[in-house]
Amino acid sequence: LYLDKSERKRLLDATEPEAVPFVRALCLLPLRPGALAKLTAADFDNRTATVTIGTDKNGRPRQITVPQSIGSFLGEQAKDKAPAMPLFARRNGLPWNKDAWKRPIKDAAVLANLPDGTSAYTLRHSVITDLVRDSLPVLTVAQLSGTSVAMIERHYGHLVRDDAEKALARLMF
């Protein structure tokens, strides 16, 4: 399931206020929802605009540098938080988890008239799809999303067929 940017914006607009920062981050970063939920305030370095993803499915920590717009958003989330506090906390101060994010996303999807099955993972898939379609190298997409090049090629490779055809057409003189 893929949501384009306007559909993601509708989802975000329909999301209950408590969940908006978490859902917005899912719309901006190609992270697994669980990895995003585990981020702490210390995992974002405002000075260098880097996010350290320490716990993820692949088991290896990684760092990604974000543009200023996303850095400002993450900086707001980290503001006045102790280093060990969740970067995206719920009202009760606890981090998000599957049981906590599932209902707000499902409810927002219904309000926004989005397809059944829209979930937190749909947002990750949508961000990765956009990165691939924007011709970001597959290796870079894999590094950002914490997965293998083989997985990106297997699930998203069909999206770059037109890019290859266009590149070959430019060789003609």
Side-chain angles (χ1 to χ4, degrees):
L1 183 60
Y2 169 78
L3 301 179
D4 65 27
K5 289 179 186 176
S6 66
E7 291 170 319
R8 283 178 268 168
K9 172 91 170 78
R10 286 194 348 246
L11 178 75
L12 195 56
D13 290 344
T15 300
E16 65 182 55
E18 177 185 28
V20 165
F22 184 74
V23 174
R24 183 172 184 211
L26 287 171
C27 291
L28 297 172
L29 299 167
L31 302 181
R32 292 176 183 87
L36 183 70
K38 291 177 183 170
L39 293 178
T40 65
D43 291 327
F44 177 66
D45 185 336
N46 202 25
R47 187 180 52 80
T48 61
T50 57
V51 180
T52 301
I53 298 96
T55 306
D56 202 356
K57 184 179 178 181
N58 69 9
R60 295 184 313 265
R62 67 186 189 283
Q63 280 192 329
I64 59 174
T65 303
V66 296
Q68 183 180 2
S69 57
I70 296 175
S72 295
F73 165 67
L74 295 176
E76 276 299 310
Q77 302 313 304
K79 187 177 178 181
D80 299 325
K81 289 184 178 174
M85 289 192 65
L87 185 60
F88 298 98
R90 296 163 41 208
R91 269 191 291 267
N92 60 11
L94 295 175
W96 287 93
N97 61 45
K98 187 176 184 178
D99 294 328
W101 72 60
K102 189 176 181 180
R103 174 59 62 196
I105 291 174
K106 184 176 182 176
D107 290 349
V110 169
L111 286 171
N113 198 28
L114 295 171
D116 289 340
T118 297
S119 67
Y121 216 85
T122 301
L123 301 175
R124 171 180 160 83
H125 169 70
S126 299
V127 170
I128 292 172
T129 297
D130 286 351
L131 293 173
V132 170
R133 288 302 307 138
D134 285 344
S135 300
L136 194 63
V138 173
L139 175 60
T140 304
V141 175
Q143 291 169 333
L144 288 172
S145 55
T147 193
S148 69
V149 169
M151 194 287 297
I152 297 293
E153 288 175 338
R154 184 169 49 252
H155 294 283
Y156 302 92
H158 66 283
L159 299 172
V160 297
R161 283 190 203 126
D162 291 343
D163 297 343
E165 184 179 335
K166 289 174 190 171
L168 289 170
R170 287 191 299 268
L171 297 174
M172 191 66 186
F173 54 90

